[in-house]
Structure formats: structure tokens, C-alpha cells
Amino acid sequence: AMLAFWSGQSVGREGPAIHLGAAASSGIGALLHLPDNSIRVLVGCGAAAAIAASFNTPIAGVIFSMEVIILEYTISGFVPVILAATTATLINQVVYGNVPAFVVPPVSMNSFFDLPFLLFEGVAIGMLAACFIFLVRFLSARAPSRLWQRYLLAGAVTGTAALAAPEVLGIGYDTVDQALAGSLSLVLLLLICALKLVTSATSVAMGIPAGLIGPTLFIGAAAGGLIGVLGEAIAPDHASSAAFYVALGMGAMMGAVLQAPLGALMAVMELTHNANIILPAMLVIVTANLTASHLFRQRSIFLNQMDMLGLSYEANPVSQVLDRTSVASVMTQRFFLASVLSDRAELV
């Protein structure tokens, strides 16, 4: 992952942090000989801590973990996950300071004339999310068998795209800040949105060991910036600022790709530090989720990756109850010790 960052691959930094947090938590549970249902909560704690520390968003880390990993909202799950996210955020702030991941100016919805643009943004970003998920599956099914060939192909695609738009290299948070500031042109936003979609999908499909949340935020920011510029051109007196659509686009793309709308909503609220954005964010994120999941029949990128790896996944109520129940808590411990020479009457 560090080599991928240093070489400018089109990936996010939060993926390795989530993997490390989940693996370390699972290892601690194994050392303590905890049951599987407790280790499952610990894995959620590690993932929540990683998200919280990566973006300085503790609430989003908690909701992401409960929505994507633990897959349920219970008191027994919430308490340790909240403690893990809070601890990670505090440590991150002690080391790096209380610095937000993105510089988001004050944004709000100017009027109800924004509603058509918000619905359009949700549908458009839902289509982008579906395209991203489809492209990952398509490229993964056709990836070379050898690891070095896959990495070489991912690097070649990213390097070629960077010749046209160097902004697609690396994590790209500086470009997101520029989009929030409204300093990117319409042509550049369109170019980096398309190229980032291709390069990030290729990197994920080829197995680059890094994150995909960062690229979804980048793509959503570029797409939101496009809609913001169009809105200002069509209705300059009524449309909100481009930063408003950029912030909503980030949450919509993240929520649609991960199929985690509540986690995306909390991320937008914490990144903007603005409660006024909640209502329009709910509209855009839900519209994007419905477009990707129902209109284009695409599941979460994580479930698609599990399918590609041949891993089973059960989310029905019975399996969820069994996942959080330990064998020791339901087994009977009333045993009858029978003699080796017991006759049939004693055994009956």
C-alpha cells in the first residue's frame, strides 16, 4: 500500500488503515480466545477506528462499521465501536492536530429551486456509482493471472491517464479542495471525473492493496462540481454555490458505491460541520443509492468483491441472529455421567 501511494496509484489511504485495524483487532480476539461473535465486534471496532482517524470523522466511522461490517445496530455493538472511534480520533488529533480532511466553505441550500438540481445530481451520481461497480467487476474478471502483470497494467492505465490529467494521480485530496473552492473549470472537472473513475476502478480490479473510499469522494466531488457549474450557468440567481454540490456529490458517491447511505450522510455532516446540509444531503444520497441499487441492480462494491473472491455472504435474519450468538450461551451444560458398564435400563 505504501508503494502504491508513493508511486501515485489512483487509490485511497483509508483502505490499508481499515485492513490493519480489522486484522489487529481480530488478532487480539484470537489471543484472548474470544468467541467468533466477539471477534466480529472487535473487527468492527478496528474498522471504525481507521475511518475515524483517516478523515477525523468519529460518527461516520461508527455508522460505517455498524452499517457495512457488523450489519446491525445493537447496544452491545455500539458501545465498543464508539469507544474505538473516539480513541482513534483523539490520538489522531494529538499527533496531527484537529485538522479537517477537506477545507469545506460554509454551504447551504439557497432556495427550493435547488431541488431539481439535487434530484438530477442524485441520479447522475447513482449512474456513476453503478458504472464504477460494473467496471470493477468487468476488469476483475479479465485481469491477468500473474500479480506483477495486474500491477503493471494498473500502473500503465494510471500513468497514461495522468498524461492528460495529472490530478488523477495519488489520493487527490488537494484536487477535492480545489473543487470545493470552485477553482476548477468545467472541462477539467469532466476530464478528471471520467479518468479518475477508470483509473480507480482499474486499480481496485487489479488488486492494488489500498482504499476505494478516497476515490469515491474524489469522483463525487468532481461530478458535484460539474452540476454546480451547470446550475450556476442555468439559474445564476437561484442555484447554490458549487461547493454545495461538491460536498453533496462526495457523500452521494460514497453512499452509492458502498451502499451505506447513513454512513455517507454522517461523513458529509462531519466534513462540512454544517447541520443545514443534512436535508439536501439526505435527498441526494438516497436518490443515488436507489439509482445504483434498484435502477441498475448493483450491490455494494464490498459484496461484489466477496463474490469475486468466492466468499459466501448471508444477510438473512436467521444468519444475523446466529452470527451474534455464541455457542456457549445456548448450549446445555446439564450432563449425565454414565458408567462404562451401564445397562440399557440406566441409559434410557
Side-chain angles (χ1 to χ4, degrees):
M2 292 174 66
L3 289 174
F5 299 146
W6 290 337
S7 60
Q9 295 292 336
S10 183
V11 289
R13 68 186 182 190
E14 74 293 328
I18 294 174
H19 295 161
L20 291 170
S25 301
S26 180
I28 292 172
L31 288 174
L32 297 176
H33 303 289
L34 297 178
D36 287 348
N37 61 321
S38 297
I39 293 179
R40 183 161 160 261
V41 175
L42 280 176
V43 170
C45 291
I51 291 289
S54 295
F55 299 104
N56 199 18
T57 54
I59 300 178
V62 171
I63 301 301
F64 171 85
S65 178
M66 305 299 291
E67 197 170 23
V68 176
I69 297 176
I70 301 180
L71 297 174
E72 61 180 357
Y73 296 96
T74 61
I75 297 298
S76 59
F78 257 124
V79 172
V81 170
I82 290 174
L83 288 174
T86 303
T87 304
T89 304
L90 289 174
I91 293 175
N92 181 68
Q93 291 181 0
V94 168
V95 177
Y96 296 105
N98 189 12
V99 180
F102 306 102
V103 180
V104 184
V107 293
S108 62
M109 186 171 68
N110 284 348
S111 67
F112 289 112
F113 287 101
D114 282 309
L115 292 178
F117 292 105
L118 296 180
L119 290 173
F120 174 72
E121 181 175 18
V123 173
I125 292 181
M127 294 171 63
L128 283 176
C131 181
F132 181 84
I133 297 170
F134 171 80
L135 197 56
V136 169
R137 287 193 66 99
F138 179 83
L139 295 174
S140 179
R142 291 157 180 79
S145 58
R146 297 182 181 274
L147 187 65
W148 69 268
Q149 292 175 334
R150 296 202 300 268
Y151 287 1
L152 184 63
L153 178 60
V157 170
T158 302
T160 303
L163 295 176
E167 290 83 0
V168 302
L169 290 174
I171 301 174
Y173 288 173
D174 53 341
T175 305
V176 174
D177 285 335
Q178 293 177 23
L180 287 165
S183 58
L184 300 179
S185 66
L186 180 66
V187 175
L188 182 57
L189 286 169
L190 181 62
L191 183 63
I192 63 177
C193 180
L195 292 180
K196 189 70 171 182
L197 184 97
V198 173
T199 55
S200 297
T202 303
S203 298
V204 173
M206 295 301 113
I208 298 293
L212 54 84
I213 296 180
T216 62
L217 294 176
F218 184 106
I219 297 167
L226 276 170
I227 296 170
V229 172
L230 291 175
E232 290 181 345
I234 296 172
D237 296 330
H238 301 291
S240 299
S241 64
F244 175 73
Y245 293 100
V246 170
L248 296 180
M250 293 166 64
M253 188 68 181
M254 174 184 170
V257 171
L258 308 183
Q259 287 297 301
L262 189 55
L265 178 63
M266 292 298 102
V268 170
M269 188 184 73
E270 287 189 290
L271 289 173
T272 59
H273 297 283
N274 186 353
N276 294 326
I277 205 172
I278 293 178
L279 180 62
M282 291 171 65
L283 178 61
V284 175
I285 291 172
V286 169
T287 303
N289 270 263
L290 291 176
T291 302
S293 62
H294 288 73
L295 186 60
F296 290 94
R297 307 284 183 183
Q298 294 292 341
R299 298 192 300 165
S300 164
I301 183 65
F302 296 132
L303 298 184
N304 279 278
Q305 288 180 314
M306 291 180 68
D307 287 342
M308 291 183 287
L309 293 172
L311 300 175
S312 61
Y313 172 78
E314 295 289 342
N316 58 70
V318 175
S319 64
Q320 290 180 346
V321 171
L322 293 176
D323 282 342
R324 63 173 178 262
T325 305
S326 66
V327 175
S329 66
V330 295
M331 67 181 292
T332 179
Q333 298 184 6
R334 296 191 301 270
F335 303 112
F336 172 74
L337 298 179
S339 173
V340 178
L341 301 177
S342 299
D343 55 21
R344 183 184 298 273
E346 282 186 288
L347 296 177
V348 172

